[in-house]
Amino acid sequence: MALILKDAGRIKEAIELIMETVAGKEGEADLYGLLASLYDADNQVDLAENTLIEAIKVFPDDIDLRYKLGVIYEKTDR
């Protein structure tokens, strides 16, 4: 549903949906990656970075999360 909302240009609604899904629980690593990509698409790069950093603490072996964080660092010339 979040991807449908994103494709429809309703990024803030997609973010809210994912936030509700992961609130109060660890959730799945993919949800955090999706949330970070939604923040990035909404030009909230700081929130995308923080989301990925926190997700990596919960899922330290997830290569995809680390890759996405690297993309954010590359995008911000770090």
Side-chain angles (χ1 to χ4, degrees):
M1 182 60 143
L3 293 175
I4 292 170
L5 289 169
K6 179 185 177 191
D7 290 343
R10 297 164 54 186
I11 294 172
K12 292 199 185 304
E13 289 175 65
I15 290 170
E16 289 175 16
L17 179 65
I18 296 298
M19 290 293 291
E20 290 172 9
T21 303
V22 298
K25 57 185 174 186
E26 290 181 356
E28 296 181 22
D30 293 343
L31 292 177
Y32 290 96
L34 176 58
L35 180 59
S37 71
L38 290 169
Y39 281 138
D40 186 32
D42 197 37
N43 294 316
Q44 298 183 63
V45 179
D46 290 342
L47 286 174
E49 179 182 344
N50 290 337
T51 297
L52 291 167
I53 289 170
E54 291 304 312
I56 290 169
K57 290 177 185 176
V58 177
F59 305 99
D61 297 327
D62 192 290
I63 294 171
D64 189 52
L65 292 173
R66 291 177 180 278
Y67 174 81
K68 288 178 181 185
L69 182 59
V71 170
I72 294 292
Y73 288 156
E74 169 100 14
K75 188 175 193 174
T76 56
D77 295 324
R78 292 183 280 152

